[in-house]
Amino acid sequence: MKEQKIINIAVIAHVDAGKSTLVDALLSQGGAFRMNEEVVNQVMDSNDQERERGITIYSKNTAIEYDGIKINIVDTPGHADFSSEVERIMKTVDTVILLVDSSEGPMPQTRFVLQKALELGLKPILLINKIDKRDQRAEEVVDEVLELFMELGASDEQMEFTTLYGIAKNGIVQKDMATPSTNLAPLFETIVEQVGGYPSELREKPFKMQISSLGYDSYLGRLGIGRVINGVVQKNQNYNLLKADGTSQPVKISQLMVNQGLHRVPVDEALAGDIVIMAGISDISIGDTIADPSVTEPMDPIEIEEPTMSMNFLVNTSPFAGRVGKYVTSRNLKERLERELEVNVGLRVEPLVNSNIEGFKVLGRGELHLSVLIESMRREGFELAISKPEVLFKTDSHNEPLEPMEKVIISMPTEYSGTVINKLNQRKGVMLDMDSDGSRDKVIYNIPLRALIGFRSEFTNDTHGEGIMVRSANGYEPYKGHIESRANGVMVSMAAGKTLPYSLNNLEERGILFVGPQTEVYEGMIVGQHSRGNDLDVNPTTAKKLTNTRSSGTDDAIKLTPFRKMNLEEALEYIQNDELVEVTPQDIRLRKRYLTINERKQHRNQLK
């Protein structure tokens, strides 16, 4: 065992470039599946939300063997919202496979994940994926990636990266466009040739490793996951737990596991270079150092980028509170958020300053980062109310406010570009580039993050679903001034009961409905969008008054336009400061912060 070579690799890319598909192929050709085992696509995306959304949210480890060499593979998220996962995982790998679409080329989030790898001194392997596309432009894309390396300040050695070409869904990688292949052998060969294996002489040094991820097992308790930097770690041995603040305490590892295929296998010892999972240390945290008693200095702390957005997680106070949820109190919320903090290092939780409101201020890396947490809580049986997302500002040396910016790349049919460009300009966006092929326009904007809250649904409507928008963080710039928010008001129910087709039919003339017939509503619940800029109090529960006289033609069956049903992300983007999203295991509702007309009049100018 002490002679076995170990290589750790990460697959990094923009969303939808084919990361999870490539990992599937690596596992399949690396012998991770038994002959009779059912193979599931995107097998590493094991979380329900990952499968439903089609994205990777949590980085995960697996291991295969190639030519007697153990290769640990880390599948990383492509969304900048989950940057905290990417940042700490990069420290556990020897090289990265940078996956780039042969047609799209490097996208904004490609820049983000690549920058993290270059900063740590890793030399990437470039894999141009989807070369079977009709609009592939692989050679141009290689030049674009080279320019990106130069922009990010890559070293001379990093600039001399190896380029491969492939079709991940078919499990094919080739060394150049002209030399066909039938498997991933060229990729495996390149990995072994470039890395060679973890230095064996480090196995003779005193044991040391840093915790990069946490897990939980109902039988073993809290799990610490990380790469062994030096020496050999053994089960049931005494070690020191070194915290970043300089404190230390003796600990014993009760259970030790390594990755083998898709499974965790118990072992008695693991070597330097391997990724291990250990149990028995109850208060272990990300960034902690586990080491031999002779080691006294902890490793450098893992630096995580600061949050850019916050939302208030409040106790649900609607008239329907507690009907379907199991966890509804502030104590339940506090316990759940504290559990999340243990494994989600990109998150921050603060108590609300206003003592009249029960809840917490939760800070994260973006709307998606926070909405994934909310969706997880909803599925676990929590009920809560969420406030409008707020962007977090910084200040410069002169105490002037700085706000986070986003780089946005938009591709859309030419006939819709005028409307979209006009809206981006109104939101204080600055156009960086524009290109057109006659049928579709591509624009690149630098725009404040707060201007994009609520823009995606408008963009989808304006482009009739044919537009594509990708975005990534683009630093901080001086405050851009006031930006107009939602132009339309809302229709607010002034009565409680079930909605009726007769009243909804009348309300359709006033705007867009968010509820259908026979939906239970309460006073203060938002039932639709008003066609004008002001809020409108309505009664969606009104029935037709019955008389003895039948009027000709008016008693026919009422036909309603399909209502607009919002998902969680759309609801969070839509609301204003005086509104909340009510989240329960079964329903997502929009409501006013103050439910009655009198309360709203009293607090008209009192925003959160």
Side-chain angles (χ1 to χ4, degrees):
M1 182 179 177
K2 287 204 172 188
E3 300 304 317
Q4 185 181 36
K5 288 186 176 179
I6 298 171
I7 297 174
N8 292 357
I9 63 169
V11 184
I12 62 174
H14 176 76
V15 181
D16 292 334
K19 290 188 308 299
S20 298
T21 307
L22 177 63
V23 173
D24 284 352
L26 288 167
L27 288 167
S28 180
Q29 296 186 31
F33 301 111
R34 298 188 304 274
M35 291 293 290
N36 62 344
E37 189 170 1
E38 182 183 357
V39 178
V40 181
N41 290 334
Q42 280 82 50
V43 68
M44 292 289 279
D45 290 342
S46 53
N47 180 276
D48 288 343
Q49 288 195 65
E50 290 180 318
R51 289 195 171 280
E52 289 167 18
R53 296 170 185 262
I55 61 173
T56 301
I57 297 172
Y58 308 103
S59 61
K60 289 169 288 292
N61 306 330
T62 186
I64 58 175
E65 279 209 11
Y66 173 77
D67 200 20
I69 300 170
K70 181 176 182 180
I71 302 177
N72 284 309
I73 304 169
V74 183
D75 188 16
T76 61
H79 273 282
D81 281 34
F82 307 108
S83 60
S84 57
E85 293 280 322
V86 178
E87 289 168 43
R88 56 191 194 315
I89 290 306
M90 287 295 179
K91 286 195 170 187
T92 68
V93 300
D94 302 301
T95 189
V96 293
I97 300 170
L98 174 63
L99 208 60
V100 180
D101 188 292
S102 65
S103 169
E104 294 178 345
M107 301 296 277
Q109 288 162 1
T110 311
R111 166 187 290 268
F112 164 76
V113 288
L114 176 59
Q115 185 174 11
K116 298 299 174 190
L118 295 177
E119 286 172 357
L120 291 170
L122 299 175
K123 183 180 178 182
I125 297 168
L126 174 63
L127 176 53
I128 305 298
N129 192 26
K130 305 181 184 179
I131 58 171
D132 56 333
K133 277 187 171 182
R134 281 184 298 176
D135 59 346
Q136 67 87 11
R137 49 186 192 92
E139 301 302 328
E140 292 176 44
V141 169
V142 173
D143 292 337
E144 290 175 6
V145 173
L146 188 60
E147 290 176 13
L148 181 58
F149 270 68
M150 295 169 66
E151 286 177 33
L152 296 176
S155 67
D156 292 343
E157 185 184 359
Q158 289 171 329
M159 292 286 287
E160 295 175 0
F161 53 84
T162 303
T163 302
L164 301 172
Y165 305 85
I167 310 169
K169 68 178 180 181
N170 295 342
I172 293 172
V173 169
Q174 52 198 58
K175 294 196 172 182
D176 54 60
M177 293 292 288
T179 310
S181 170
T182 58
N183 54 34
L184 297 177
L187 177 57
F188 284 122
E189 291 166 7
T190 303
I191 292 168
V192 174
E193 183 182 327
Q194 180 163 310
V195 180
Y198 198 76
S200 57
E201 61 269 17
L202 294 179
R203 295 173 183 173
E204 307 304 321
K205 292 189 173 185
F207 162 66
K208 181 169 67 173
M209 69 171 284
Q210 187 171 38
I211 301 301
S212 58
S213 298
L214 294 174
Y216 184 80
D217 183 278
S218 56
Y219 177 68
L220 298 172
R222 202 165 182 183
L223 304 174
I225 305 167
R227 185 182 202 178
V228 181
I229 305 299
N230 293 335
V232 179
V233 58
Q234 295 179 324
K235 177 182 170 183
N236 292 328
Q237 290 294 311
N238 294 318
Y239 296 106
N240 271 355
L241 172 64
L242 305 171
K243 298 279 188 180
D245 60 7
T247 60
S248 67
Q249 65 185 78
V251 292
K252 179 183 277 191
I253 298 170
S254 62
Q255 186 67 269
L256 191 66
M257 294 170 283
V258 296
N259 294 297
Q260 189 172 307
L262 297 172
H263 309 288
R264 290 174 175 174
V265 180
V267 293
D268 291 328
E269 66 174 23
L271 309 175
D274 210 349
I275 293 175
V276 300
I277 305 98
M278 57 177 61
I281 309 172
S282 59
D283 57 347
I284 199 168
S285 299
I286 288 171
D288 287 354
T289 301
I290 311 292
D292 188 88
S294 63
V295 178
T296 57
E297 290 295 320
M299 296 178 66
D300 293 337
I302 297 174
E303 292 184 9
I304 304 298
E305 288 196 14
E306 291 299 309
T308 57
M309 187 171 286
S310 73
M311 299 178 191
N312 290 347
F313 285 35
L314 310 172
V315 172
N316 185 18
T317 57
S318 88
F320 294 169
R323 284 192 177 186
V324 292
K326 291 190 293 183
Y327 310 108
V328 296
T329 66
S330 59
R331 180 178 60 82
N332 295 142
L333 274 182
K334 184 173 185 288
E335 289 173 355
R336 178 60 180 83
L337 291 173
E338 285 175 348
R339 284 207 315 274
E340 187 69 22
L341 284 173
E342 292 180 354
V343 294
N344 194 339
V345 295
L347 204 69
R348 304 277 188 280
V349 176
E350 300 173 358
L352 286 177
V353 178
N354 188 343
S355 58
N356 297 326
I357 305 173
E358 286 190 278
F360 302 89
K361 184 176 184 179
V362 182
L363 300 81
R365 290 285 299 155
E367 287 170 272
L368 185 61
H369 183 205
L370 293 171
S371 67
V372 165
L373 169 60
I374 297 167
E375 181 65 26
S376 297
M377 293 173 68
R378 184 171 84 90
R379 295 181 184 199
E380 291 165 17
F382 281 83
E383 280 192 17
L384 63 159
I386 310 293
S387 71
K388 179 182 177 176
E390 281 191 347
V391 169
L392 303 175
F393 291 81
K394 289 183 176 180
T395 54
D396 60 16
S397 55
H398 304 293
N399 216 28
E400 294 295 323
L402 300 173
E403 64 176 315
M405 304 294 290
E406 294 266 312
K407 185 178 182 181
V408 181
I409 298 180
I410 289 176
S411 172
M412 60 202 154
T414 301
E415 60 263 34
Y416 308 132
S417 61
T419 303
V420 173
I421 288 171
N422 183 45
K423 288 192 173 181
L424 290 170
N425 291 338
Q426 289 176 353
R427 286 169 162 79
K428 312 286 187 183
V430 176
M431 186 186 290
L432 304 177
D433 193 17
M434 183 173 182
D435 193 17
S436 178
D437 63 4
S439 61
R440 289 184 75 88
D441 291 347
K442 178 182 176 183
V443 295
I444 303 176
Y445 265 80
N446 186 39
I447 189 167
L449 171 59
R450 60 193 168 97
L452 294 174
I453 297 175
F455 178 67
R456 184 173 290 277
S457 54
E458 281 189 48
F459 171 73
T460 302
N461 292 333
D462 291 339
T463 61
H464 295 229
E466 295 183 53
I468 300 169
M469 178 170 69
V470 292
R471 43 190 275 201
S472 67
N474 198 29
Y476 284 77
E477 291 186 10
Y479 178 65
K480 303 298 181 183
H482 176 68
I483 297 174
E484 285 295 330
S485 55
R486 189 181 72 205
N488 296 83
V490 290
M491 292 188 278
V492 186
S493 175
M494 54 194 291
K498 285 192 175 181
T499 56
L500 297 174
Y502 174 76
S503 55
L504 294 181
N505 186 50
N506 293 328
L507 293 178
E508 276 190 347
E509 302 171 5
R510 302 295 189 98
I512 302 167
L513 293 175
F514 297 158
V515 295
Q518 296 300 305
T519 301
E520 275 200 277
V521 298
Y522 53 79
E523 184 179 5
M525 180 171 158
I526 296 171
V527 297
Q529 175 176 287
H530 191 200
S531 56
R532 300 188 179 183
N534 62 302
D535 291 346
L536 186 68
D537 293 306
V538 299
N539 187 351
T541 65
T542 305
K544 182 178 180 181
K545 290 183 172 56
L546 300 177
T547 67
N548 290 331
T549 307
R550 174 169 178 164
S551 54
S552 175
T554 59
D555 288 339
D556 295 337
I558 294 171
K559 292 182 181 179
L560 295 170
T561 305
F563 65 95
R564 178 183 173 187
K565 186 172 183 179
M566 290 195 185
N567 61 30
L568 179 60
E569 280 85 9
E570 290 170 337
L572 291 171
E573 284 190 339
Y574 186 81
I575 58 173
Q576 297 289 20
N577 286 330
D578 64 337
E579 298 163 358
L580 299 171
V581 178
E582 180 188 352
V583 179
T584 76
Q586 291 181 6
D587 301 290
I588 293 170
R589 305 183 186 94
L590 277 66
R591 53 162 284 192
K592 284 293 183 180
R593 186 181 292 270
Y594 303 105
L595 296 177
T596 67
I597 295 173
N598 288 336
E599 281 182 322
R600 290 199 293 279
K601 283 181 180 177
Q602 183 180 346
H603 298 278
R604 185 77 67 189
N605 299 317
Q606 183 183 334
L607 296 180
K608 178 174 63 68

